[in-house]
Short mmCIF file of all heavy atoms in Angstrom, two decimals:
data_model
loop_
_atom_site.label_atom_id
_atom_site.label_comp_id
_atom_site.label_asym_id
_atom_site.label_seq_id
_atom_site.Cartn_x
_atom_site.Cartn_y
_atom_site.Cartn_z
N GLU A 102 -162.93 -119.54 -210.42
CA GLU A 102 -162.43 -119.89 -209.09
C GLU A 102 -163.55 -119.92 -208.04
O GLU A 102 -163.65 -120.84 -207.24
CB GLU A 102 -161.34 -118.90 -208.65
CG GLU A 102 -160.87 -119.16 -207.23
CD GLU A 102 -159.65 -118.34 -206.86
OE1 GLU A 102 -158.65 -118.41 -207.60
OE2 GLU A 102 -159.71 -117.63 -205.85
N GLU A 103 -164.41 -118.90 -208.09
CA GLU A 103 -165.51 -118.86 -207.13
C GLU A 103 -166.46 -120.05 -207.31
O GLU A 103 -166.96 -120.62 -206.33
CB GLU A 103 -166.26 -117.53 -207.25
CG GLU A 103 -165.46 -116.37 -206.70
CD GLU A 103 -165.96 -115.00 -207.17
OE1 GLU A 103 -166.78 -114.94 -208.12
OE2 GLU A 103 -165.51 -113.99 -206.61
N ASN A 104 -166.69 -120.42 -208.58
CA ASN A 104 -167.53 -121.59 -208.82
C ASN A 104 -166.93 -122.84 -208.19
O ASN A 104 -167.64 -123.64 -207.58
CB ASN A 104 -167.71 -121.81 -210.33
CG ASN A 104 -168.97 -121.15 -210.86
OD1 ASN A 104 -170.07 -121.66 -210.66
ND2 ASN A 104 -168.80 -120.01 -211.54
N ILE A 105 -165.61 -122.99 -208.33
CA ILE A 105 -164.96 -124.19 -207.80
C ILE A 105 -165.02 -124.22 -206.26
O ILE A 105 -165.12 -125.28 -205.65
CB ILE A 105 -163.48 -124.28 -208.29
CG1 ILE A 105 -163.43 -124.38 -209.81
CG2 ILE A 105 -162.76 -125.48 -207.66
CD1 ILE A 105 -162.03 -124.23 -210.40
N THR A 106 -164.97 -123.02 -205.65
CA THR A 106 -164.91 -123.00 -204.18
C THR A 106 -166.30 -123.09 -203.51
O THR A 106 -166.37 -123.26 -202.30
CB THR A 106 -164.20 -121.72 -203.65
OG1 THR A 106 -164.89 -120.58 -204.15
CG2 THR A 106 -162.74 -121.67 -204.07
N VAL A 107 -167.37 -123.01 -204.30
CA VAL A 107 -168.72 -123.04 -203.69
C VAL A 107 -168.92 -124.22 -202.73
O VAL A 107 -169.29 -124.02 -201.56
CB VAL A 107 -169.83 -123.00 -204.78
CG1 VAL A 107 -171.19 -123.40 -204.22
CG2 VAL A 107 -169.92 -121.61 -205.39
N PRO A 108 -168.67 -125.47 -203.17
CA PRO A 108 -168.91 -126.58 -202.23
C PRO A 108 -167.97 -126.56 -201.02
O PRO A 108 -168.38 -126.92 -199.92
CB PRO A 108 -168.62 -127.84 -203.06
CG PRO A 108 -168.46 -127.40 -204.47
CD PRO A 108 -168.22 -125.94 -204.49
N LEU A 109 -166.75 -126.08 -201.24
CA LEU A 109 -165.77 -126.04 -200.14
C LEU A 109 -166.23 -125.07 -199.06
O LEU A 109 -166.21 -125.37 -197.87
CB LEU A 109 -164.41 -125.62 -200.69
CG LEU A 109 -163.75 -126.65 -201.62
CD1 LEU A 109 -162.78 -125.97 -202.58
CD2 LEU A 109 -163.03 -127.72 -200.82
N LEU A 110 -166.69 -123.88 -199.49
CA LEU A 110 -167.14 -122.87 -198.52
C LEU A 110 -168.42 -123.34 -197.83
O LEU A 110 -168.59 -123.14 -196.63
CB LEU A 110 -167.35 -121.52 -199.22
CG LEU A 110 -166.06 -120.91 -199.83
CD1 LEU A 110 -166.39 -119.64 -200.61
CD2 LEU A 110 -165.02 -120.62 -198.76
N ALA A 111 -169.29 -124.01 -198.61
CA ALA A 111 -170.54 -124.52 -198.02
C ALA A 111 -170.25 -125.55 -196.94
O ALA A 111 -171.02 -125.72 -196.00
CB ALA A 111 -171.43 -125.12 -199.10
N GLU A 112 -169.11 -126.24 -197.06
CA GLU A 112 -168.73 -127.23 -196.05
C GLU A 112 -167.88 -126.61 -194.94
O GLU A 112 -167.27 -127.33 -194.14
CB GLU A 112 -167.99 -128.39 -196.70
CG GLU A 112 -168.90 -129.40 -197.38
CD GLU A 112 -169.92 -130.04 -196.43
OE1 GLU A 112 -169.51 -130.52 -195.36
OE2 GLU A 112 -171.11 -130.03 -196.76
N GLY A 113 -167.78 -125.28 -194.93
CA GLY A 113 -167.13 -124.61 -193.82
C GLY A 113 -165.61 -124.46 -193.93
O GLY A 113 -164.95 -124.09 -192.96
N LYS A 114 -165.04 -124.76 -195.11
CA LYS A 114 -163.59 -124.54 -195.27
C LYS A 114 -163.31 -123.03 -195.29
O LYS A 114 -164.16 -122.24 -195.71
CB LYS A 114 -163.11 -125.12 -196.62
CG LYS A 114 -163.48 -126.57 -196.85
CD LYS A 114 -162.51 -127.52 -196.16
CE LYS A 114 -162.83 -128.96 -196.49
NZ LYS A 114 -163.16 -129.77 -195.31
N SER A 115 -162.12 -122.67 -194.86
CA SER A 115 -161.76 -121.25 -194.90
C SER A 115 -161.57 -120.83 -196.36
O SER A 115 -161.27 -121.67 -197.22
CB SER A 115 -160.46 -121.01 -194.13
OG SER A 115 -159.38 -121.56 -194.86
N ARG A 116 -161.73 -119.53 -196.61
CA ARG A 116 -161.55 -119.02 -197.96
C ARG A 116 -160.14 -119.35 -198.48
O ARG A 116 -159.95 -119.72 -199.63
CB ARG A 116 -161.82 -117.51 -198.00
CG ARG A 116 -161.82 -116.91 -199.39
CD ARG A 116 -162.53 -115.58 -199.41
NE ARG A 116 -163.95 -115.69 -199.12
CZ ARG A 116 -164.88 -116.00 -200.01
NH1 ARG A 116 -164.55 -116.22 -201.26
NH2 ARG A 116 -166.14 -116.07 -199.68
N LYS A 117 -159.17 -119.24 -197.59
CA LYS A 117 -157.78 -119.48 -197.96
C LYS A 117 -157.59 -120.95 -198.42
O LYS A 117 -157.01 -121.21 -199.47
CB LYS A 117 -156.88 -119.17 -196.75
CG LYS A 117 -155.43 -119.16 -197.06
CD LYS A 117 -154.66 -118.38 -195.97
CE LYS A 117 -153.19 -118.75 -196.02
NZ LYS A 117 -152.83 -119.76 -195.01
N ASP A 118 -158.10 -121.87 -197.63
CA ASP A 118 -157.98 -123.28 -197.99
C ASP A 118 -158.76 -123.59 -199.27
O ASP A 118 -158.31 -124.37 -200.11
CB ASP A 118 -158.53 -124.18 -196.86
CG ASP A 118 -157.56 -124.22 -195.68
OD1 ASP A 118 -156.42 -123.73 -195.84
OD2 ASP A 118 -157.97 -124.72 -194.62
N ALA A 119 -159.95 -122.97 -199.40
CA ALA A 119 -160.77 -123.22 -200.59
C ALA A 119 -160.05 -122.73 -201.84
O ALA A 119 -160.02 -123.41 -202.87
CB ALA A 119 -162.12 -122.52 -200.43
N GLU A 120 -159.43 -121.56 -201.74
CA GLU A 120 -158.72 -121.00 -202.90
C GLU A 120 -157.50 -121.85 -203.25
O GLU A 120 -157.17 -122.06 -204.41
CB GLU A 120 -158.33 -119.55 -202.63
CG GLU A 120 -159.54 -118.63 -202.75
CD GLU A 120 -159.29 -117.20 -202.30
OE1 GLU A 120 -158.14 -116.88 -201.92
OE2 GLU A 120 -160.26 -116.41 -202.32
N LYS A 121 -156.85 -122.36 -202.22
CA LYS A 121 -155.68 -123.22 -202.43
C LYS A 121 -156.09 -124.49 -203.19
O LYS A 121 -155.44 -124.92 -204.14
CB LYS A 121 -155.08 -123.57 -201.06
CG LYS A 121 -153.77 -124.28 -201.14
CD LYS A 121 -153.06 -124.27 -199.78
CE LYS A 121 -152.02 -125.36 -199.74
NZ LYS A 121 -152.34 -126.45 -198.81
N ARG A 122 -157.21 -125.06 -202.76
CA ARG A 122 -157.71 -126.28 -203.40
C ARG A 122 -158.12 -125.98 -204.85
O ARG A 122 -157.87 -126.77 -205.76
CB ARG A 122 -158.91 -126.81 -202.60
CG ARG A 122 -159.58 -128.03 -203.17
CD ARG A 122 -158.76 -129.28 -203.00
NE ARG A 122 -159.45 -130.46 -203.51
CZ ARG A 122 -158.87 -131.40 -204.25
NH1 ARG A 122 -157.59 -131.32 -204.55
NH2 ARG A 122 -159.55 -132.44 -204.67
N ALA A 123 -158.78 -124.83 -205.07
CA ALA A 123 -159.21 -124.46 -206.43
C ALA A 123 -157.99 -124.32 -207.34
O ALA A 123 -157.99 -124.78 -208.48
CB ALA A 123 -160.00 -123.15 -206.39
N LEU A 124 -156.94 -123.73 -206.81
CA LEU A 124 -155.73 -123.51 -207.60
C LEU A 124 -155.07 -124.84 -207.95
O LEU A 124 -154.62 -125.05 -209.08
CB LEU A 124 -154.76 -122.65 -206.78
CG LEU A 124 -153.77 -121.81 -207.57
CD1 LEU A 124 -154.51 -120.84 -208.48
CD2 LEU A 124 -152.85 -121.03 -206.61
N GLU A 125 -155.07 -125.73 -206.99
CA GLU A 125 -154.46 -127.05 -207.20
C GLU A 125 -155.22 -127.82 -208.29
O GLU A 125 -154.62 -128.36 -209.24
CB GLU A 125 -154.52 -127.78 -205.85
CG GLU A 125 -154.13 -129.22 -205.81
CD GLU A 125 -154.40 -129.78 -204.39
OE1 GLU A 125 -153.65 -129.43 -203.47
OE2 GLU A 125 -155.37 -130.55 -204.21
N LEU A 126 -156.55 -127.82 -208.19
CA LEU A 126 -157.36 -128.53 -209.19
C LEU A 126 -157.24 -127.88 -210.56
O LEU A 126 -157.15 -128.56 -211.58
CB LEU A 126 -158.83 -128.56 -208.75
CG LEU A 126 -159.16 -129.55 -207.65
CD1 LEU A 126 -160.48 -129.20 -206.99
CD2 LEU A 126 -159.22 -130.98 -208.21
N ALA A 127 -157.25 -126.55 -210.57
CA ALA A 127 -157.16 -125.83 -211.84
C ALA A 127 -155.84 -126.15 -212.53
O ALA A 127 -155.78 -126.32 -213.75
CB ALA A 127 -157.30 -124.33 -211.60
N GLY A 128 -154.78 -126.26 -211.73
CA GLY A 128 -153.48 -126.63 -212.29
C GLY A 128 -153.53 -128.00 -212.92
O GLY A 128 -153.10 -128.20 -214.06
N GLU A 129 -154.09 -128.96 -212.20
CA GLU A 129 -154.18 -130.33 -212.70
C GLU A 129 -155.00 -130.41 -213.98
O GLU A 129 -154.71 -131.19 -214.87
CB GLU A 129 -154.88 -131.22 -211.67
CG GLU A 129 -153.98 -131.82 -210.62
CD GLU A 129 -154.76 -132.86 -209.81
OE1 GLU A 129 -154.94 -133.97 -210.29
OE2 GLU A 129 -155.20 -132.51 -208.71
N LEU A 130 -156.06 -129.60 -214.04
CA LEU A 130 -156.99 -129.69 -215.16
C LEU A 130 -156.65 -128.72 -216.29
O LEU A 130 -157.33 -128.66 -217.31
CB LEU A 130 -158.43 -129.46 -214.68
CG LEU A 130 -158.96 -130.54 -213.73
CD1 LEU A 130 -160.26 -130.10 -213.06
CD2 LEU A 130 -159.21 -131.84 -214.50
N GLY A 131 -155.60 -127.94 -216.10
CA GLY A 131 -155.16 -127.05 -217.19
C GLY A 131 -156.02 -125.81 -217.37
O GLY A 131 -156.20 -125.32 -218.48
N ILE A 132 -156.59 -125.29 -216.28
CA ILE A 132 -157.41 -124.08 -216.38
C ILE A 132 -156.94 -123.01 -215.40
O ILE A 132 -157.70 -122.10 -215.06
CB ILE A 132 -158.92 -124.37 -216.14
CG1 ILE A 132 -159.09 -125.29 -214.93
CG2 ILE A 132 -159.57 -124.98 -217.39
CD1 ILE A 132 -160.51 -125.40 -214.42
#
Side-chain angles (χ1 to χ4, degrees):
E102 175 171 306
E103 288 162 348
N104 266 284
I105 299 170
T106 58
V107 165
L109 293 155
L110 297 175
E112 281 300 310
K114 307 278 184 240
S115 71
R116 187 161 294 277
K117 189 161 161 262
D118 286 350
E120 285 171 2
K121 188 165 160 248
R122 177 73 178 136
L124 206 60
E125 172 185 288
L126 284 161
E129 273 190 79
L130 294 168
I132 45 167

